[in-house]
Amino acid sequence: MPREALHLDNDAVAHVLDEIADLLELKGENVFRAVTYRAAARSIRDLREPLAELIEQKRLKEIPKVGPSVGEAIEQLVATGRSIRHEELQAAVPTGLLTLLGVPGVGPATARAIYDHLRITTIDELEQAAKDGRLRQLPKIQTKTEENILKSIAALRQRTGRALLNEARAAANTMLAWLRQETGLELLAIAGSLRRFRETIGDVDIVAGSDDAPPIMAAFVRAPTVERILANGDTKSSVLVARGMQIDLRVVPPRSWGAALLYFTGSKEHNVRLRGIALKRKLLLNEYGLYRVGAEARGQELACASEEEIYAALEMDWIPPELREDRGEVDAASRHALPALVAVGDIRGDLHTHTNWTDGRDPLETMALRAKAKGYGYLAVTDHSPGLGMTNGLSLERVQARLAEAAALNAKLAPFRILVGTEVDIRANGKLDYPDDVLARFDIVTASVHSSFSQPRDQMTARIVGAIRHPLVTALSHPTGRLLERREPYDVDLAAVIAAAAETGTRIEINGGPERLDLPDTWIPRAIANGATLVASSDAHAIEELEWMELAVATARRGWATPGAIANTRDLDAMLASRKKA
DNA sequence: GCCGTTTTCGGCCCGACTGTTTTCAGTCG
């Protein structure tokens, strides 16, 4: 069934508002107008209610940065799929300019100049003009700029999108190890979206604290993984490593370490809030420290050595990086009302893992020994059901053998406990992939969708809610089915899924697989508020992937989850007893 | 275009690097 074209959903509206912002910049209007449209787009992406609902209840003005003009555009977009302001701008600005804006290094002014002089509107034309040496005939463009534009286009074509968390972490850790080896530096840390555990990573940010920056910069740009140097300054450099991933390094004096870490961790929106608060107190906050306005030139900082010191000087509690998204954490920290977030150390066991009996790589005993070594009290092994042909799902005979294998290992490893579970497929027709008498033999049953992803919303929702209501199902795995940077989520009414989970006591998984991170962090507060219980799982297919639990916990933290919201922070008996189902 | 414990008008975070410049605009994060 084709999507109803007339009713733009929140993401689609946000997309148009972003485009309006781009067009305003290209048109050369007051930049703050563009800033406002972008800020409004972001607020809308953070909303957990449909815009149509807010319009109906006349609550649009409650959205930050939405006033009369933006509100009118939103109403038009939701009602008709179009906005007069947007269409006027499209008529006034050649649409090709938006394409040029997508090339890194080309901003509104350059895009405008290129179009005005050469009438270029596509990347291909831009590339050809650069190769022909026509760009350098424009004012303020010489060969260097031309070369950079060509390099940017090449990188753009090579680039596959944002990096997954584990890929970005690997690239960052390799660079950190290199810098430590070459410089012996102690003050060295990952900042940016990677430190905040955002689900995908654009650039990797690294901060170093030292009074002697040049040797550090030199080591950075000659690192073996570097493929291209984008910028190489006294205190700031940028490089590209494999697959077009960018790494930025900033060196600050050690006394500014805390201010720099805070600044480069972001998010940008969080920083803007902090600076606004600082300004109201006649203070200036930058990457070097917190100063009384006017005193920064004299180097008389109030605070800057640690993040804690800076937050304290602004009369706030220290805010965990995962919360720094300007989603209420600044106010909560000012009221000293931040939640005590769940931490990796709170996790007592993993409830979703696979072995080499289906699509995993390691045997059960190896997985169990690693889980035990990690300090867990229990490990649920949840190999697939047979319906998923490609994963060699367990037949009834093999389920029997698995139970025997686990019993023998449990005798050996006690008090550590292996729970024999299954990741049972929810078939296209909503039926589970094992009969009830087989499901009843498992300690844990987690249900998931692995096929027929394109079912209509109503059908998909009924299919999943049906599984949640099944009395033998203890959890729902990766509720949206998305694969980051690879596959969109299936169309499902998550609010209905959460409501059914809360009602029945079936748990909702936060899957730590770096491609999934599903339930997404933005839905976690809603699940908690509605009384659903969550579990954090690694979905490990090998022993080293048990470490993906950290990503599941980070996602939970980004969703403001406390230990109480996560079932597997409890020891085995309490975890099993907290299940509402028999 | 939005917003208000300085303000209903006049601000809106702040600084580094690059390239093309004799002092700065453009871009980025």
mmCIF file of all heavy atoms in Angstrom, chain A residues 169-191 194 204-208 220 223 225 247 249 257:
data_model
loop_
_atom_site.group_PDB
_atom_site.id
_atom_site.type_symbol
_atom_site.label_atom_id
_atom_site.label_comp_id
_atom_site.label_asym_id
_atom_site.label_seq_id
_atom_site.Cartn_x
_atom_site.Cartn_y
_atom_site.Cartn_z
ATOM 1 N N ARG A 169 34.829 3.422 16.898
ATOM 2 C CA ARG A 169 35.632 3.179 18.107
ATOM 3 C C ARG A 169 36.948 2.518 17.740
ATOM 4 O O ARG A 169 37.996 2.838 18.291
ATOM 5 C CB ARG A 169 34.891 2.264 19.072
ATOM 6 C CG ARG A 169 33.680 2.892 19.696
ATOM 7 C CD ARG A 169 33.076 1.919 20.680
ATOM 8 N NE ARG A 169 33.431 2.287 22.034
ATOM 9 C CZ ARG A 169 33.290 1.493 23.079
ATOM 10 N NH1 ARG A 169 32.866 0.262 22.920
ATOM 11 N NH2 ARG A 169 33.598 1.906 24.273
ATOM 12 N N ALA A 170 36.890 1.578 16.807
ATOM 13 C CA ALA A 170 38.119 0.884 16.403
ATOM 14 C C ALA A 170 39.095 1.878 15.783
ATOM 15 O O ALA A 170 40.288 1.904 16.125
ATOM 16 C CB ALA A 170 37.782 -0.239 15.428
ATOM 17 N N ALA A 171 38.590 2.739 14.880
ATOM 18 C CA ALA A 171 39.468 3.725 14.236
ATOM 19 C C ALA A 171 40.049 4.680 15.272
ATOM 20 O O ALA A 171 41.232 5.037 15.227
ATOM 21 C CB ALA A 171 38.693 4.501 13.175
ATOM 22 N N ALA A 172 39.214 5.090 16.229
ATOM 23 C CA ALA A 172 39.657 6.035 17.260
ATOM 24 C C ALA A 172 40.708 5.396 18.161
ATOM 25 O O ALA A 172 41.730 6.005 18.477
ATOM 26 C CB ALA A 172 38.463 6.506 18.087
ATOM 27 N N ASN A 173 40.456 4.159 18.566
ATOM 28 C CA ASN A 173 41.393 3.499 19.482
ATOM 29 C C ASN A 173 42.735 3.228 18.820
ATOM 30 O O ASN A 173 43.781 3.312 19.467
ATOM 31 C CB ASN A 173 40.780 2.204 20.025
ATOM 32 C CG ASN A 173 39.698 2.499 21.057
ATOM 33 O OD1 ASN A 173 39.767 3.501 21.755
ATOM 34 N ND2 ASN A 173 38.694 1.633 21.137
ATOM 35 N N THR A 174 42.704 2.906 17.537
ATOM 36 C CA THR A 174 43.962 2.715 16.806
ATOM 37 C C THR A 174 44.772 4.013 16.820
ATOM 38 O O THR A 174 45.980 4.009 17.063
ATOM 39 C CB THR A 174 43.665 2.302 15.348
ATOM 40 O OG1 THR A 174 42.885 1.106 15.366
ATOM 41 C CG2 THR A 174 44.948 2.068 14.578
ATOM 42 N N MET A 175 44.089 5.137 16.563
ATOM 43 C CA MET A 175 44.785 6.425 16.552
ATOM 44 C C MET A 175 45.283 6.790 17.948
ATOM 45 O O MET A 175 46.406 7.279 18.105
ATOM 46 C CB MET A 175 43.853 7.515 16.011
ATOM 47 C CG MET A 175 44.485 8.878 15.907
ATOM 48 S SD MET A 175 45.963 8.914 14.862
ATOM 49 C CE MET A 175 45.226 9.097 13.229
ATOM 50 N N LEU A 176 44.467 6.536 18.973
ATOM 51 C CA LEU A 176 44.893 6.844 20.345
ATOM 52 C C LEU A 176 46.148 6.055 20.698
ATOM 53 O O LEU A 176 47.097 6.589 21.278
ATOM 54 C CB LEU A 176 43.784 6.500 21.346
ATOM 55 C CG LEU A 176 42.612 7.458 21.473
ATOM 56 C CD1 LEU A 176 41.707 7.031 22.626
ATOM 57 C CD2 LEU A 176 43.084 8.883 21.703
ATOM 58 N N ALA A 177 46.153 4.772 20.344
ATOM 59 C CA ALA A 177 47.307 3.922 20.660
ATOM 60 C C ALA A 177 48.556 4.453 19.955
ATOM 61 O O ALA A 177 49.640 4.520 20.550
ATOM 62 C CB ALA A 177 47.023 2.478 20.253
ATOM 63 N N TRP A 178 48.390 4.856 18.691
ATOM 64 C CA TRP A 178 49.513 5.406 17.931
ATOM 65 C C TRP A 178 50.051 6.683 18.597
ATOM 66 O O TRP A 178 51.247 6.851 18.786
ATOM 67 C CB TRP A 178 49.073 5.696 16.494
ATOM 68 C CG TRP A 178 50.024 6.549 15.714
ATOM 69 C CD1 TRP A 178 49.930 7.886 15.493
ATOM 70 C CD2 TRP A 178 51.226 6.131 15.058
ATOM 71 N NE1 TRP A 178 50.970 8.330 14.732
ATOM 72 C CE2 TRP A 178 51.799 7.272 14.457
ATOM 73 C CE3 TRP A 178 51.870 4.900 14.923
ATOM 74 C CZ2 TRP A 178 52.977 7.231 13.725
ATOM 75 C CZ3 TRP A 178 53.051 4.859 14.192
ATOM 76 C CH2 TRP A 178 53.599 6.004 13.610
ATOM 77 N N LEU A 179 49.143 7.580 18.965
ATOM 78 C CA LEU A 179 49.573 8.844 19.570
ATOM 79 C C LEU A 179 50.268 8.605 20.910
ATOM 80 O O LEU A 179 51.253 9.258 21.230
ATOM 81 C CB LEU A 179 48.373 9.779 19.742
ATOM 82 C CG LEU A 179 47.810 10.380 18.446
ATOM 83 C CD1 LEU A 179 46.536 11.157 18.727
ATOM 84 C CD2 LEU A 179 48.844 11.284 17.769
ATOM 85 N N ARG A 180 49.755 7.648 21.683
ATOM 86 C CA ARG A 180 50.397 7.340 22.975
ATOM 87 C C ARG A 180 51.800 6.811 22.746
ATOM 88 O O ARG A 180 52.751 7.205 23.411
ATOM 89 C CB ARG A 180 49.580 6.281 23.736
ATOM 90 C CG ARG A 180 48.348 6.859 24.363
ATOM 91 C CD ARG A 180 47.992 6.199 25.690
ATOM 92 N NE ARG A 180 46.832 6.891 26.232
ATOM 93 C CZ ARG A 180 45.588 6.573 25.911
ATOM 94 N NH1 ARG A 180 45.353 5.545 25.119
ATOM 95 N NH2 ARG A 180 44.589 7.263 26.397
ATOM 96 N N GLN A 181 51.913 5.928 21.769
ATOM 97 C CA GLN A 181 53.204 5.321 21.475
ATOM 98 C C GLN A 181 54.199 6.372 20.989
ATOM 99 O O GLN A 181 55.363 6.391 21.392
ATOM 100 C CB GLN A 181 53.004 4.243 20.410
ATOM 101 C CG GLN A 181 54.286 3.625 19.861
ATOM 102 C CD GLN A 181 54.016 2.900 18.545
ATOM 103 O OE1 GLN A 181 53.069 2.120 18.426
ATOM 104 N NE2 GLN A 181 54.836 3.167 17.539
ATOM 105 N N GLU A 182 53.748 7.277 20.147
ATOM 106 C CA GLU A 182 54.666 8.240 19.533
ATOM 107 C C GLU A 182 54.991 9.422 20.435
ATOM 108 O O GLU A 182 56.041 10.039 20.279
ATOM 109 C CB GLU A 182 54.061 8.772 18.219
ATOM 110 C CG GLU A 182 53.931 7.731 17.132
ATOM 111 C CD GLU A 182 55.288 7.221 16.646
ATOM 112 O OE1 GLU A 182 56.075 8.036 16.148
ATOM 113 O OE2 GLU A 182 55.548 6.002 16.787
ATOM 114 N N THR A 183 54.084 9.781 21.323
ATOM 115 C CA THR A 183 54.279 11.007 22.108
ATOM 116 C C THR A 183 54.340 10.766 23.610
ATOM 117 O O THR A 183 54.723 11.664 24.351
ATOM 118 C CB THR A 183 53.125 11.994 21.860
ATOM 119 O OG1 THR A 183 51.914 11.431 22.411
ATOM 120 C CG2 THR A 183 52.926 12.258 20.371
ATOM 121 N N GLY A 184 53.939 9.594 24.057
ATOM 122 C CA GLY A 184 53.912 9.318 25.487
ATOM 123 C C GLY A 184 52.899 10.169 26.243
ATOM 124 O O GLY A 184 52.956 10.310 27.460
ATOM 125 N N LEU A 185 51.965 10.737 25.500
ATOM 126 C CA LEU A 185 50.993 11.663 26.080
ATOM 127 C C LEU A 185 50.026 10.956 27.026
ATOM 128 O O LEU A 185 49.552 9.862 26.743
ATOM 129 C CB LEU A 185 50.222 12.293 24.919
ATOM 130 C CG LEU A 185 49.585 13.650 25.103
ATOM 131 C CD1 LEU A 185 50.637 14.653 25.531
ATOM 132 C CD2 LEU A 185 48.959 14.078 23.780
ATOM 133 N N GLU A 186 49.734 11.609 28.168
ATOM 134 C CA GLU A 186 48.780 11.036 29.123
ATOM 135 C C GLU A 186 47.380 11.602 28.899
ATOM 136 O O GLU A 186 46.400 10.877 28.919
ATOM 137 C CB GLU A 186 49.206 11.379 30.557
ATOM 138 C CG GLU A 186 50.591 10.896 30.920
ATOM 139 C CD GLU A 186 50.538 9.614 31.714
ATOM 140 O OE1 GLU A 186 49.641 9.504 32.561
ATOM 141 O OE2 GLU A 186 51.395 8.738 31.483
ATOM 142 N N LEU A 187 47.318 12.926 28.723
ATOM 143 C CA LEU A 187 46.015 13.573 28.563
ATOM 144 C C LEU A 187 45.546 13.414 27.116
ATOM 145 O O LEU A 187 45.893 14.202 26.241
ATOM 146 C CB LEU A 187 46.102 15.060 28.915
ATOM 147 C CG LEU A 187 46.217 15.410 30.390
ATOM 148 C CD1 LEU A 187 46.287 16.918 30.570
ATOM 149 C CD2 LEU A 187 45.056 14.845 31.194
ATOM 150 N N LEU A 188 44.809 12.344 26.885
ATOM 151 C CA LEU A 188 44.394 12.016 25.537
ATOM 152 C C LEU A 188 43.045 11.312 25.658
ATOM 153 O O LEU A 188 42.931 10.339 26.409
ATOM 154 C CB LEU A 188 45.437 11.083 24.918
ATOM 155 C CG LEU A 188 45.518 10.927 23.412
ATOM 156 C CD1 LEU A 188 45.723 12.268 22.728
ATOM 157 C CD2 LEU A 188 46.670 9.997 23.063
ATOM 158 N N ALA A 189 42.039 11.796 24.955
ATOM 159 C CA ALA A 189 40.717 11.179 25.130
ATOM 160 C C ALA A 189 39.855 11.325 23.891
ATOM 161 O O ALA A 189 40.032 12.244 23.080
ATOM 162 C CB ALA A 189 39.996 11.814 26.321
ATOM 163 N N ILE A 190 38.931 10.396 23.764
ATOM 164 C CA ILE A 190 37.905 10.481 22.733
ATOM 165 C C ILE A 190 36.835 11.443 23.216
ATOM 166 O O ILE A 190 36.405 11.374 24.365
ATOM 167 C CB ILE A 190 37.290 9.086 22.475
ATOM 168 C CG1 ILE A 190 38.332 8.170 21.842
ATOM 169 C CG2 ILE A 190 36.054 9.200 21.598
ATOM 170 C CD1 ILE A 190 37.887 6.726 21.758
ATOM 171 N N ALA A 191 36.404 12.346 22.336
ATOM 172 C CA ALA A 191 35.311 13.264 22.677
ATOM 173 C C ALA A 191 34.216 13.093 21.617
ATOM 174 O O ALA A 191 34.074 12.024 21.039
ATOM 175 C CB ALA A 191 35.829 14.695 22.748
ATOM 176 N N LEU A 194 31.170 10.167 19.577
ATOM 177 C CA LEU A 194 31.623 8.837 19.991
ATOM 178 C C LEU A 194 31.597 8.719 21.509
ATOM 179 O O LEU A 194 31.193 7.703 22.059
ATOM 180 C CB LEU A 194 33.035 8.591 19.445
ATOM 181 C CG LEU A 194 33.591 7.175 19.492
ATOM 182 C CD1 LEU A 194 32.601 6.169 18.932
ATOM 183 C CD2 LEU A 194 34.897 7.113 18.715
ATOM 184 N N VAL A 204 35.286 11.403 14.081
ATOM 185 C CA VAL A 204 35.861 11.057 15.377
ATOM 186 C C VAL A 204 36.608 12.284 15.903
ATOM 187 O O VAL A 204 37.395 12.888 15.163
ATOM 188 C CB VAL A 204 36.829 9.864 15.234
ATOM 189 C CG1 VAL A 204 37.601 9.640 16.526
ATOM 190 C CG2 VAL A 204 36.064 8.610 14.837
ATOM 191 N N ASP A 205 36.353 12.654 17.155
ATOM 192 C CA ASP A 205 37.052 13.783 17.779
ATOM 193 C C ASP A 205 37.979 13.282 18.864
ATOM 194 O O ASP A 205 37.562 12.510 19.739
ATOM 195 C CB ASP A 205 36.041 14.760 18.402
ATOM 196 C CG ASP A 205 35.192 15.441 17.348
ATOM 197 O OD1 ASP A 205 35.745 16.265 16.621
ATOM 198 O OD2 ASP A 205 33.992 15.118 17.254
ATOM 199 N N ILE A 206 39.233 13.740 18.816
ATOM 200 C CA ILE A 206 40.200 13.384 19.851
ATOM 201 C C ILE A 206 40.750 14.673 20.443
ATOM 202 O O ILE A 206 41.031 15.631 19.711
ATOM 203 C CB ILE A 206 41.347 12.527 19.271
ATOM 204 C CG1 ILE A 206 40.776 11.206 18.728
ATOM 205 C CG2 ILE A 206 42.404 12.259 20.334
ATOM 206 C CD1 ILE A 206 41.820 10.318 18.065
ATOM 207 N N VAL A 207 40.874 14.711 21.775
ATOM 208 C CA VAL A 207 41.420 15.872 22.462
ATOM 209 C C VAL A 207 42.714 15.470 23.150
ATOM 210 O O VAL A 207 42.791 14.387 23.753
ATOM 211 C CB VAL A 207 40.451 16.418 23.525
ATOM 212 C CG1 VAL A 207 40.996 17.713 24.118
ATOM 213 C CG2 VAL A 207 39.087 16.654 22.934
ATOM 214 N N ALA A 208 43.724 16.331 23.050
ATOM 215 C CA ALA A 208 44.984 16.099 23.742
ATOM 216 C C ALA A 208 45.305 17.307 24.598
ATOM 217 O O ALA A 208 45.024 18.440 24.210
ATOM 218 C CB ALA A 208 46.110 15.846 22.732
ATOM 219 N N PHE A 220 50.302 12.882 14.552
ATOM 220 C CA PHE A 220 48.926 12.629 14.117
ATOM 221 C C PHE A 220 48.848 12.499 12.596
ATOM 222 O O PHE A 220 48.316 11.521 12.073
ATOM 223 C CB PHE A 220 48.041 13.779 14.606
ATOM 224 C CG PHE A 220 46.595 13.684 14.203
ATOM 225 C CD1 PHE A 220 45.798 12.627 14.626
ATOM 226 C CD2 PHE A 220 46.021 14.672 13.413
ATOM 227 C CE1 PHE A 220 44.454 12.553 14.266
ATOM 228 C CE2 PHE A 220 44.680 14.605 13.044
ATOM 229 C CZ PHE A 220 43.913 13.543 13.481
ATOM 230 N N ALA A 223 50.361 9.310 11.020
ATOM 231 C CA ALA A 223 49.891 7.998 11.488
ATOM 232 C C ALA A 223 49.686 7.070 10.291
ATOM 233 O O ALA A 223 49.252 7.513 9.224
ATOM 234 C CB ALA A 223 48.588 8.158 12.268
ATOM 235 N N THR A 225 47.492 4.996 9.491
ATOM 236 C CA THR A 225 46.139 4.831 8.954
ATOM 237 C C THR A 225 45.677 6.045 8.133
ATOM 238 O O THR A 225 44.627 5.986 7.506
ATOM 239 C CB THR A 225 45.127 4.593 10.091
ATOM 240 O OG1 THR A 225 45.344 5.589 11.088
ATOM 241 C CG2 THR A 225 45.293 3.214 10.690
ATOM 242 N N ILE A 247 38.983 12.032 11.209
ATOM 243 C CA ILE A 247 39.391 12.150 12.606
ATOM 244 C C ILE A 247 39.949 13.554 12.820
ATOM 245 O O ILE A 247 40.808 14.010 12.063
ATOM 246 C CB ILE A 247 40.467 11.113 12.990
ATOM 247 C CG1 ILE A 247 39.981 9.693 12.668
ATOM 248 C CG2 ILE A 247 40.814 11.230 14.468
ATOM 249 C CD1 ILE A 247 40.964 8.599 13.078
ATOM 250 N N LEU A 249 41.806 16.175 15.539
ATOM 251 C CA LEU A 249 42.576 16.243 16.776
ATOM 252 C C LEU A 249 42.718 17.697 17.189
ATOM 253 O O LEU A 249 43.055 18.557 16.379
ATOM 254 C CB LEU A 249 43.971 15.634 16.584
ATOM 255 C CG LEU A 249 44.927 15.819 17.774
ATOM 256 C CD1 LEU A 249 44.445 15.033 18.984
ATOM 257 C CD2 LEU A 249 46.348 15.393 17.402
ATOM 258 N N TRP A 257 42.138 21.333 30.101
ATOM 259 C CA TRP A 257 41.696 19.984 29.752
ATOM 260 C C TRP A 257 40.195 19.787 29.911
ATOM 261 O O TRP A 257 39.504 19.337 29.002
ATOM 262 C CB TRP A 257 42.456 18.965 30.616
ATOM 263 C CG TRP A 257 42.016 17.557 30.404
ATOM 264 C CD1 TRP A 257 41.347 16.764 31.287
ATOM 265 C CD2 TRP A 257 42.199 16.754 29.217
ATOM 266 N NE1 TRP A 257 41.112 15.534 30.746
ATOM 267 C CE2 TRP A 257 41.620 15.503 29.478
ATOM 268 C CE3 TRP A 257 42.789 16.991 27.979
ATOM 269 C CZ2 TRP A 257 41.614 14.481 28.545
ATOM 270 C CZ3 TRP A 257 42.779 15.969 27.044
ATOM 271 C CH2 TRP A 257 42.201 14.733 27.337
#
